[in-house]
Amino acid sequence: MAGGGVVVQGGAKNYEGGVTSFVLVTCLVAAMGGLLFGYDLGISGGVTSMDQFLKDFFPKVYRKQLNKGHESAYCKFDSQLLTLFTSSLYLAALVASFFASVVTRMYGRKMSMTVGGISFLIGAIINGAAVNIAMLIIGRLMLGVGVGFANQVVPVYLSEMAPAKVRGALNIGFQMAITIGILIANLVNYGTAKISGGWGWRVSLALAAVPAILMTVGSVFLPDTPNSILERGHVDEAKKMLQKIRGTPNVDEEFQDLYDASEAAKQVHHPWTNILRGRYRPQLTMCTLIPFFQQFTGINVIMFYAPVLFKTIGFGAEASLMSAVITGVVNVVATLVSVFSVDKFGRRILFLEGGVQMFICQCLVGIMLALKFGLRGEGTLTKFDADFVLFLICAYVAAFAWSWGPLGWLVPSEVCALEIRSAGQAINVSTNMIFTFVVGQVFLSMLCHFKFGLFFFFAGFVAVMTVFVFYMVPETRNVPIEEMNRMWKAHWFWGKYIPDEAVIGSSNEIQPNKTA
């Protein structure tokens, strides 16, 4: 049976130039946009497990939590209003990503980063000063605008600045920043929960201003990418920028490919209509299904609600926050594995190994909860049981962190041609955000009703997405971003959608890989 790999003979070009310190610094600053997303992912779950926060804003949930004798462990935190606090951000990010697409295309990548940083800063200030539910939700919506802009532009920026041979590692800097943001948030929650007087949650929420300031100030000094400069018609400036980021004046071949792609892109006046054409079916599929699958790994329910989840299955309040810190450390370390392996071993092997490992861990967690809590949600965990569940969740987080976590952002950002890149990334982000919202909004209710079966639910999706990657996702390692159509043309299934004239250097031989 045909597999998903491709063999491209004579296709991928080795442009002159290398990885300059200028590129490393700009990519490092741009990746700070990931701190916005990561800090929010980590902070909301910890805050919603703090007693004083629940007393002030969600008293019904607080009383339900105290009613230990009459409430199923699975249903302690089942509240649509509580989940709306967490998930409303992602609804705003969904809408913002479409506006970000227009801003990114018309005004450049750095402008979108600046808008995102300012919006996130405003949201952090409102949340830190909140005195009622309305202020909390408004603050979350402003945070969502910031996340929508940052997630739309940063992966594209990193992919366009990086040389093909290290594009994966530099792009994963975005995911690395997300994981660091999550870890910092977990540490902040662990510390602020100890503040006497019960106002620690305000510190946790207000400190979101720090990554917002870093991104806003950093974006002011960042250069725009050669692709973006060309897209807006500044040819000489684009070539000078390419020479600067590659560290060599000999960029004629790469610049010609960028110029050709830019000229082709200018013929496309309606990228949203264009991406629906048959020749872009592979890119549309990747920008839709990869973020969809990423959310149905179930990872964000762990990151949103880690302290809540640990509290649900019997950990104490402090132990729950510390367990979230432990998973945060695992997340950061495992992401480093991806940074150093993605350009050496490729995307597919990480996708596949991570999928298998996540499937096993989720099934084992489901079995453990079934044995200990059953359908009624009544039971306790011994110290060994609790440690084993924590180990399984850490192994699951590690698998995600070196596979679907970074690659879910990397692959969609690198496979789209310039003429549909902004639209493709907007679809990627909006799909990610809408299903982040859906999963975040319904998780605590699903936990209450599905009970331990929820982990088998997500395991089933992991199995499906792993099969999808095996057959349908080609290897993009070392393929220049403007030559991706050669890769699609070589694929056993997607090749039929790509016309010959869409392939740069189409006279070179391209052979589909027919082995599974």
Side-chain angles (χ1 to χ4, degrees):
M1 185 176 288
V6 297
V7 177
V8 182
Q9 294 185 345
K13 299 178 181 178
N14 292 314
Y15 299 123
E16 289 196 42
V19 184
T20 62
S21 57
F22 180 73
V23 166
L24 291 175
V25 171
T26 56
C27 287
L28 179 63
V29 173
M32 290 302 100
L35 283 176
L36 305 184
F37 195 21
Y39 188 84
D40 178 77
L41 283 173
I43 212 69
S44 54
V47 166
T48 53
S49 73
M50 294 182 186
D51 288 344
Q52 190 59 50
F53 180 79
L54 293 175
K55 283 181 186 178
D56 291 344
F57 297 100
F58 305 97
K60 289 184 179 179
V61 175
Y62 180 69
R63 289 193 295 270
K64 188 189 296 186
Q65 184 187 192
L66 294 179
N67 190 16
K68 297 180 180 179
H70 301 85
E71 189 69 47
S72 167
Y74 295 117
C75 300
K76 288 179 182 178
F77 292 89
D78 182 20
S79 165
Q80 289 299 302
L81 191 59
L82 179 62
T83 52
L84 182 63
F85 163 73
T86 296
S87 59
S88 58
L89 180 149
Y90 304 98
L91 198 59
L94 163 67
V95 176
S97 66
F98 291 102
F99 290 98
S101 172
V102 176
V103 173
T104 299
R105 184 178 173 90
M106 295 181 62
Y107 301 104
R109 289 28 170 172
K110 62 180 292 181
M111 177 62 74
S112 286
M113 283 189 256
T114 304
V115 173
I118 292 173
S119 300
F120 202 88
L121 177 60
I122 294 171
I125 293 171
I126 294 174
N127 270 174
V131 294
N132 53 47
I133 292 288
M135 285 186 71
L136 280 180
I137 301 300
I138 292 171
R140 294 289 291 175
L141 293 176
M142 290 303 300
L143 293 175
V145 173
V147 167
F149 270 82
N151 286 9
Q152 203 279 341
V153 67
V154 172
V156 169
Y157 184 94
L158 296 174
S159 289
E160 291 180 345
M161 290 294 278
K165 60 186 176 183
V166 294
R167 186 177 61 244
L170 288 182
N171 194 290
I172 288 174
F174 178 68
Q175 178 67 20
M176 191 72 212
I178 291 176
T179 62
I180 291 172
I182 292 171
L183 175 59
I184 291 172
N186 289 334
L187 290 169
V188 167
N189 280 333
Y190 186 73
T192 58
K194 297 177 181 294
I195 296 177
S196 59
W199 50 271
W201 63 268
R202 292 192 183 274
V203 178
S204 292
L205 295 179
L207 282 178
V210 175
I213 292 171
L214 288 175
M215 180 175 171
T216 305
V217 174
S219 66
V220 173
F221 297 99
L222 285 179
D224 230 328
T225 68
N227 312 62
S228 179
I229 297 170
L230 263 179
E231 194 173 29
R232 287 173 285 138
H234 306 295
V235 178
D236 292 338
E237 183 184 345
K239 187 169 184 179
K240 289 178 182 177
M241 181 55 64
L242 185 62
Q243 290 171 334
K244 187 173 184 179
I245 65 177
R246 296 294 179 257
T248 176
N250 303 318
V251 296
D252 289 346
E253 186 179 14
E254 181 176 6
F255 184 74
Q256 187 61 50
D257 286 345
L258 291 179
Y259 182 82
D260 291 343
S262 179
E263 289 302 300
K266 288 177 182 177
Q267 305 306 312
V268 179
H269 302 293
H270 304 287
W272 288 100
T273 302
N274 207 58
I275 199 171
L276 299 176
R277 294 170 58 192
R279 66 188 293 170
Y280 299 113
R281 191 63 47 77
Q283 294 93 327
L284 179 61
T285 302
M286 297 302 137
C287 289
T288 304
L289 286 186
I290 287 179
F292 168 80
F293 283 142
Q294 187 190 51
Q295 291 314 304
F296 277 87
T297 59
I299 187 63
N300 276 343
V301 301
I302 301 295
M303 294 307 168
F304 287 161
Y305 300 118
V308 170
L309 181 62
F310 287 127
K311 221 172 179 182
T312 294
I313 60 178
F315 287 62
E318 186 170 328
S320 297
L321 291 171
M322 178 51 68
S323 298
V325 171
I326 293 171
T327 59
V329 172
V330 170
N331 198 15
V332 172
V333 174
T335 302
L336 285 173
V337 174
S338 188
V339 169
F340 292 109
S341 61
V342 67
D343 289 315
K344 183 175 182 180
F345 301 111
R347 283 66 160 153
R348 280 170 53 80
I349 187 65
L350 293 176
F351 265 135
L352 296 173
E353 190 284 331
V356 172
Q357 186 170 323
M358 285 191 291
F359 177 81
I360 293 171
C361 291
Q362 285 172 316
C363 287
L364 290 177
V365 170
I367 291 171
M368 281 288 295
L369 295 184
L371 293 175
K372 297 298 177 178
F373 290 95
L375 290 172
R376 299 184 64 182
E378 297 175 358
T380 57
L381 293 176
T382 65
K383 185 179 185 306
F384 174 81
D385 295 335
D387 290 342
F388 186 55
V389 169
L390 178 59
F391 167 77
L392 290 174
I393 290 178
C394 285
Y396 162 78
V397 168
F400 177 86
W402 62 55
S403 62
W404 280 90
L407 300 182
W409 293 107
L410 169 61
V411 173
S413 75
E414 66 182 357
V415 299
C416 289
L418 182 61
E419 63 267 24
I420 59 165
R421 193 167 298 152
S422 292
Q425 186 63 8
I427 292 171
N428 176 36
V429 173
S430 60
T431 303
N432 192 297
M433 291 301 111
I434 193 168
F435 287 106
T436 302
F437 170 79
V438 169
V439 173
Q441 185 65 28
V442 304
F443 169 68
L444 293 179
S445 180
M446 289 176 70
L447 180 62
C448 180
H449 294 90
F450 280 33
K451 303 175 173 56
F452 59 83
L454 183 60
F455 292 91
F456 295 111
F457 172 82
F458 286 121
F461 272 100
V462 170
V464 171
M465 66 185 71
T466 303
V467 173
F468 170 78
V469 167
F470 183 79
Y471 288 111
M472 306 304 289
V473 179
E475 182 55 68
T476 59
R477 179 174 66 99
N478 290 339
V479 180
I481 196 169
E482 303 305 335
E483 290 189 35
M484 286 293 171
N485 276 340
R486 290 186 55 79
M487 173 199 71
W488 294 120
K489 188 67 176 176
H491 191 266
W492 71 274
F493 180 80
W494 299 120
K496 63 189 177 186
Y497 292 99
I498 309 299
D500 291 339
E501 65 269 17
V503 179
I504 296 175
S506 56
S507 59
N508 291 321
E509 182 183 1
I510 307 175
Q511 297 180 351
N513 179 4
K514 297 295 185 182
T515 58

